Amino acid sequence: MAVSLMPTLPILSSSSSFSSAVATGGNYSSRLPLQASPRPRLSHVQASRESKATPSSSIEHETTDEGSEDAAPKTLSSYGPSLWDVFDKFKNEDGSFREDITSDPKGLLCLYNAAHLLVHGETSLEEAISFARHHLELMRDTLKSPLAEQVKRALHMPLSRTFKRVETLHYISEYKHEEGHNPTLLELAKLDFNLLQHVHLKELKYFTKWWHDLYRYVGLNYARDRLVEGYIWCYAVYHEKEFALSRVFLTKQLMLISLMDDTYDAHATIEDCRLLNAAIQRWDESATSLLPNYLQRFYIELLKTFKETKCEMAIRDTYHVAYARKAYQDLSANYLQEAEWLHQNHKPSFRDHMNLSAMSIGSPTICVGLMVGMGDLVTKESFEWVAGYPNVAIACGKIARLMDDIAAFKGGKAKGDMATSIECYMDEHRVTSAIAISKILSLLEEEWKNLNKALFQHHAQLLVVQRIIKFANSMPLFYAEKDAYTFNIHLKDTVESLLVETFPM
């Protein structure tokens, strides 16, 4: 049984009235399947052949693919019917939006959310965002519930960039206030959420024992103890029951990344960092002797966890773990490079800083790991593609890095941390922090556009792209104000809503 009760990204139609021209559908689905290995039908999306993926080499992605035979459509207007014929209906002859459409706040909200699916060069959608935002801000204090709450959230974060499971919580609570709502559908949505919550709590019970035993055994007391927060991050990628195996591996991988991160970043000497990376690159128990005593148990558990996961996979899936392991090794090398820069007191250029730190944030590593355990839903070609760190994975990393750096700059970074991208930009361009932050925010918008572009550009990898975008959408929750993984008090309410509080039936 699948229950759909979730506001989705609006779709613009060619209707004559504004309200009907900007309509919503339903795409949220929490499934409780009978079979363990789902084979969902993928919706067909018009797109040209997938372009070859290459790792990004700069903060500003290329927005054109001229000369490429495999170039994907550049904008939404590549598709028919033309999106711009729709927008022209709501514009005056001089190109400005008609003021009379501001009497439809729900339509404006839909327009605002839909326009955030823009990619590079879509000025009409940029104009639509500015127009809709301006008028929504003017009317926000006069709106009634639940529209008032929906507008407030959208102005803070448009729907396409939200943590979808959290947005589902809001919508289930608000749906009963909508005119013509379906009480039976609402009851089923509540039941579906509560049943899935029980599945997640059972997983957390298992993880609690696993993490307690591992954390106590490795003895790295300087490392952050953040199991629940790590689980929530993986839950953002896939909450569905059928992806339990993937969720289990991804959570373990993330917690092992956290231990490695804190070792490189907060405790190890540069000599220890070099030895740890050497052992991780060898990936063999014989390399344990290379390490100082305090890291040997961590290394043993690292190899053990990946080995056990490989054994748990079906025979056809054993190569999945190999790709995840290689991504973990790449991350270790990136951590070491940061440590070397810090040890040498090297001040990288803004571009060099971003190229490295977008990788060392760990998101591209997770983009590879999230496919483990998904069975034949993903192919070996998909693993090869993501393992090459395509632009969608790099964009995810840059969103995480830039948001983390803004939070760290405003809240104060830890002693000994590498300079943030904001500091690098200030030093290189000799500008104030306000100007640097403004630039970082504009670059963030470019990376969100790159995520949108991937939906149209990589049709063959659509299933993977969608999961990567779900992961990217979790970044505002974790980095909106402070690093909520480190300062976990900021996640308390979210954790309770997702995992503790149930909907009354």
Side-chain angles (χ1 to χ4, degrees):
M1 175 182 70
V3 180
S4 295
L5 184 55
M6 173 66 185
T8 65
L9 297 175
I11 300 173
L12 296 174
S13 71
S14 57
S15 172
S16 58
S17 72
F18 186 65
S19 295
S20 59
V22 190
T24 58
N27 73 347
Y28 165 68
S29 178
S30 300
R31 304 183 185 279
L32 297 174
L34 295 178
Q35 62 237 49
S37 299
R39 297 170 183 256
R41 296 178 180 177
L42 299 179
S43 59
H44 295 287
V45 179
Q46 275 188 303
S48 65
R49 291 172 294 171
E50 175 194 0
S51 63
K52 296 179 181 179
T54 55
S56 176
S57 59
S58 68
I59 180 66
E60 297 180 7
H61 291 261
E62 294 294 329
T63 58
T64 60
D65 298 302
E66 301 186 7
S68 170
E69 293 182 355
D70 293 330
K74 305 301 186 298
T75 65
L76 292 177
S77 56
S78 301
Y79 301 95
S82 173
L83 185 62
W84 318 128
D85 293 344
V86 176
F87 277 102
D88 288 344
K89 291 175 182 271
F90 311 114
K91 288 185 174 182
N92 298 311
E93 292 184 0
D94 62 1
S96 62
F97 282 91
R98 300 198 327 252
E99 290 297 320
D100 60 310
I101 65 178
T102 61
S103 61
D104 184 0
K106 182 174 287 189
L108 276 174
L109 177 60
C110 292
L111 172 64
Y112 176 79
N113 281 322
H116 275 91
L117 286 173
L118 79 169
V119 297
H120 306 281
E122 294 186 321
T123 55
S124 290
L125 292 182
E126 291 174 350
E127 292 171 4
I129 290 172
S130 297
F131 175 84
R133 172 178 280 278
H134 172 71
H135 289 285
L136 287 172
E137 287 176 340
L138 289 177
M139 64 177 65
R140 63 188 300 175
D141 294 332
T142 65
L143 299 175
K144 297 180 180 179
S145 183
L147 184 59
E149 290 78 15
Q150 293 167 3
V151 167
K152 181 180 179 180
R153 291 198 304 275
L155 291 176
H156 174 69
M157 187 62 58
L159 188 61
S160 63
R161 304 177 188 177
T162 59
F163 191 135
K164 294 302 182 290
R165 197 63 169 166
V166 173
E167 190 63 27
T168 297
L169 284 173
H170 293 309
Y171 196 61
I172 289 177
S173 298
E174 295 165 356
Y175 179 68
K176 62 179 178 291
H177 299 295
E178 291 196 359
E179 184 179 352
H181 77 274
N182 187 325
T184 302
L185 182 62
L186 178 59
E187 185 176 4
L188 288 173
K190 290 179 178 180
L191 179 61
D192 185 40
F193 188 93
N194 291 347
L195 289 173
L196 267 177
Q197 186 184 73
H198 182 65
V199 172
H200 300 142
L201 287 174
K202 287 179 65 176
E203 290 177 0
L204 263 181
K205 181 179 180 180
Y206 159 76
F207 276 126
T208 300
K209 184 180 186 309
W210 170 82
W211 176 244
H212 178 266
D213 292 344
L214 185 146
Y215 190 78
R216 183 177 58 179
Y217 174 74
V218 300
L220 305 182
N221 296 328
Y222 54 81
R224 289 166 292 182
D225 183 0
R226 297 292 185 270
L227 170 64
V228 176
E229 294 76 13
Y231 179 79
I232 290 293
W233 227 331
C234 300
Y235 170 102
V237 180
Y238 23 50
H239 65 273
E240 301 93 333
K241 180 181 179 181
E242 61 263 36
F243 292 118
L245 186 60
S246 296
R247 195 160 49 244
V248 166
F249 172 75
L250 194 64
T251 302
K252 289 183 177 180
Q253 184 192 34
L254 191 147
M255 299 313 296
L256 290 169
I257 288 173
S258 185
L259 290 174
M260 181 170 67
D261 182 18
D262 288 349
T263 297
Y264 275 104
D265 198 40
H267 188 82
T269 65
I270 188 61
E271 290 79 11
D272 291 348
C273 290
R274 292 165 181 162
L275 292 172
L276 177 58
N277 182 62
I280 289 175
Q281 300 308 321
R282 280 180 55 176
W283 205 269
D284 189 272
E285 289 184 8
S286 64
T288 305
S289 60
L290 295 175
L291 297 169
N293 290 336
Y294 77 96
L295 289 177
Q296 290 184 358
R297 289 186 173 184
F298 162 66
Y299 184 69
I300 291 171
E301 285 298 308
L302 172 64
L303 300 187
K304 176 184 174 184
T305 300
F306 274 78
K307 184 177 180 180
E308 288 177 347
T309 301
K310 183 177 179 180
C311 293
E312 290 168 359
M313 299 294 170
I315 294 177
R316 68 179 184 277
D317 294 340
T318 53
Y319 71 87
H320 289 195
V321 182
Y323 282 100
R325 185 193 76 185
K326 180 58 170 61
Y328 193 93
Q329 291 172 309
D330 291 345
L331 182 58
S332 174
N334 290 324
Y335 283 157
L336 177 59
Q337 183 60 68
E338 284 190 340
E340 294 285 5
W341 279 357
L342 194 61
H343 175 68
Q344 299 163 10
N345 198 27
H346 172 65
K347 294 183 178 179
S349 67
F350 177 75
R351 182 185 295 267
D352 288 345
H353 179 282
M354 282 307 306
N355 287 339
L356 179 61
S357 64
M359 297 296 296
S360 66
I361 194 71
S363 298
T365 306
I366 294 295
C367 289
V368 179
L370 65 83
M371 295 189 293
V372 173
M374 294 181 72
D376 56 5
L377 291 179
V378 291
T379 64
K380 192 167 185 177
E381 288 72 24
S382 295
F383 273 95
E384 288 283 351
W385 179 70
V386 178
Y389 305 118
N391 282 350
V392 65
I394 300 299
C396 182
K398 288 180 177 178
I399 288 171
R401 171 53 63 197
L402 295 172
M403 294 193 76
D404 186 20
D405 282 359
I406 291 173
F409 185 81
K410 292 181 177 179
K413 69 180 193 297
K415 183 180 180 180
D417 281 357
M418 191 174 74
T420 66
S421 57
I422 297 172
E423 293 168 301
C424 287
Y425 192 87
M426 290 171 62
D427 290 342
E428 183 174 331
H429 297 279
R430 299 186 181 280
V431 296
T432 64
S433 61
I435 293 175
I437 290 175
S438 177
K439 175 64 176 179
I440 297 302
L441 290 173
S442 69
L443 292 174
L444 262 175
E445 289 301 313
E446 294 303 299
E447 298 307 328
W448 286 114
K449 292 175 185 177
N450 282 321
L451 290 186
N452 292 337
K453 182 180 179 182
L455 288 169
F456 301 95
Q457 191 176 33
H458 302 296
H459 181 217
Q461 314 298 344
L462 182 60
L463 181 64
V464 178
V465 169
Q466 289 171 331
R467 297 292 165 173
I468 291 175
I469 291 177
K470 282 178 177 289
F471 183 51
N473 287 347
S474 70
M475 302 308 167
L477 176 68
F478 280 87
Y479 296 127
E481 299 297 333
K482 265 197 167 185
D483 177 356
Y485 181 78
T486 300
F487 304 98
N488 56 349
I489 188 64
H490 297 276
L491 283 180
K492 181 177 181 294
D493 291 342
T494 299
V495 169
E496 290 181 350
S497 296
L498 292 173
L499 299 175
V500 179
E501 299 168 0
T502 59
F503 281 107
M505 300 302 296

